[in-house]
Each structure stands twice: as C-alpha cells, then as structure tokens.
C-alpha cells in the first residue's frame, strides 16, 4: 500500500475546475440538495459534477476564493482531494453577470420545475445571510476516500483564520442535518432554518470572529 502525502491547500486556478467539480460531486452525491435536484441515481453524479463545474468555473474560481487541497500517492502526481468555495465580502461570484452566464446552463440541467424551486431556495439563502461584511462558504467537500483524515477541517480552518484576521463572521447553509455537528465543532451556531419542499430543511449557520 502506497503512502498518501498531503501537499497543502492553495488557491484554485481555471485549470483546477474539473478537479474541483469532481471532488465536490463525489463528496456531495448524497447531500439532500442534490438528491432533490437530481433524483435519477444514474444521472445524479454527472449532473452534479456539471452543475458544480459551472458554479466554480463561472463564479468561484475567477471571482471568489476557491481553495483546494492536494494529496499525492507515493510516486504519483498530486490529485485534488478536497475543495472549498469561499466568497469574501468584497467579491460577488454569484452576481448578476455571472448568473446571466450560468443560469441558462443550470436551467437545462434542472428542468423548469426544479429550476424555479431552486431559485426560491437560492433567494432564501441570500436573505438569510448577514448584512454586515462576512465571509461566505458556498461549498465544502472532501473525496469520500479521504474521509476522517482532517482534510475538510483543514480547508475550513484556513477560511476561518482569514475571517478572524479580518474580524468578520462566516456564513453558510446546509440541507444535511448530519453536518451540523461538524460545523458546531468549529464554532458555528444555527441562526435560522427554512423548509425546502421535497428536500427537507435548510439550516443557516453563522460563526462570529474569535
């Protein structure tokens, strides 16, 4: 068995978009959000990967702060095994111009009914976000093969350290109730929730700077 070596986190580049989409689609395959958006098991992985590639490629890599962590097997090139999509308050990776490019593709992926539902969910997320300057975590995921290795915690901590240095809160949301305990260990608290028809509950989480 070859040893795995973590090569550290870094900012993602456009060349990393396929790797970011791959690892996040694997990590979030069973997330209630994507189970709702893509109920067909045979299509879910490919469509989730495509949706995340659009999100990262059009928005979070060029306009946000996407961080990746690489792991190398002995004698092999490093492979992206974890990714986090961050939006500093001074950037807008989900802004109007990005949305104009991205939503037509999302509409084709989701279909009219689910696209309309997701627009409503997306709007609720935006309304729940803090009004003051904050760091937004849009997505965090680690390859399931690396679960329990601390990669996810390391990616999250890197963002939290930035928020602390800038004196800003961090905001995120999740439809996965199993992840609440993970975020709570890093100082997040639930500040609200909303019902998502057919998908469950969306929890809004905030962490104030230490």
């Amino acid at each position: 068995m070859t040893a795995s070596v973590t090569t550290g986190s870094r900012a993602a580049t456009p060349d990393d978009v396929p790797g970011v989409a791959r690892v996040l689609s694997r990590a979030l395959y069973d997330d209630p959000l994507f189970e709702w958006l893509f109920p067909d098991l045979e299509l879910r992985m490919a469509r989730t990967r495509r949706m995340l590639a659009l999100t990262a490629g059009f928005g979070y890599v060029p306009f946000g702060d996407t961080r990746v962590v690489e792991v190398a097997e002995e004698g092999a090139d490093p492979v992206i095994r974890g990714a986090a999509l961050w939006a500093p308050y001074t950037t807008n990776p989900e802004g109007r111009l990005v949305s104009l490019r991205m939503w037509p593709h999302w509409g084709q992926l989701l279909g009219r009914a689910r696209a309309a539902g997701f627009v409503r969910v997306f709007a609720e997320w935006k309304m729940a976000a803090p009004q003051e300057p904050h760091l937004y975590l849009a997505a965090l995921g680690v390859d399931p093969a690396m679960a329990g290795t601390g990669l996810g915690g390391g990616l999250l901590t890197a963002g939290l350290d930035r928020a602390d240095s800038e004196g800003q809160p961090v905001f995120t949301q999740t439809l996965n109730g199993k992840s609440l305990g993970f975020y709570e260990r890093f100082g997040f608290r639930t500040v609200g929730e909303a019902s998502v028809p057919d998908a469950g509950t969306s929890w809004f989480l905030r962490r104030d700077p230490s």
Side-chain angles (χ1 to χ4, degrees), residues 174-205:
T174 182
L175 277 83
N176 186 356
K178 296 179 181 178
S179 69
L180 295 177
F182 169 78
Y183 285 110
E184 288 169 354
R185 291 198 296 273
F186 289 88
F188 284 85
R189 56 189 174 86
T190 301
V191 294
E193 59 184 64
S195 176
V196 179
D198 301 322
T201 299
S202 183
W203 287 276
F204 305 117
L205 304 169

Side-chain angles (χ1 to χ4, degrees), residues 102-103 113:
M102 190 162 54
W103 278 101

Side-chain angles (χ1 to χ4, degrees), residues 4-5 13 18 27 33-34 45 49 53 62 64-65 75 86 97 101 119 129 137 172 177 183 188-189 194 207:
S4 296
V5 179
T13 69
L33 174 65
F34 293 103
M45 182 66 76
R49 183 180 298 187
D65 181 18
W86 293 97
L97 293 178
R101 297 180 64 192
V119 168
L137 176 62
T172 190
Y183 285 110
F188 284 85
R189 56 189 174 86
R207 177 190 180 272

Side-chain angles (χ1 to χ4, degrees), residues 23-105:
V23 74
L24 288 179
S25 64
R26 285 176 55 81
L28 301 175
Y29 177 80
D30 293 326
D31 188 275
L33 174 65
F34 293 103
E35 288 183 337
W36 169 54
L37 293 178
F38 307 119
D40 188 322
L41 294 177
E42 294 184 359
L43 299 176
R44 185 187 303 159
M45 182 66 76
R47 292 188 174 182
T48 299
R49 183 180 298 187
R50 176 63 175 158
M51 185 172 182
L52 291 166
L54 292 166
T55 302
F58 283 151
Y60 280 87
V61 170
F63 300 113
D65 181 18
T66 298
R67 308 295 300 185
V68 297
V69 61
E70 295 178 309
V71 174
E73 299 292 335
E74 187 175 320
D77 292 332
V79 176
I80 293 174
R81 295 294 191 184
L85 307 185
W86 293 97
Y89 194 70
T90 53
T91 69
N92 194 3
E94 297 174 352
R96 182 174 179 273
L97 293 178
V98 174
S99 297
L100 287 174
R101 297 180 64 192
M102 190 162 54
W103 278 101
H105 299 279

Side-chain angles (χ1 to χ4, degrees), residues 77 142 162:
D77 292 332
V142 170
R162 172 178 180 168

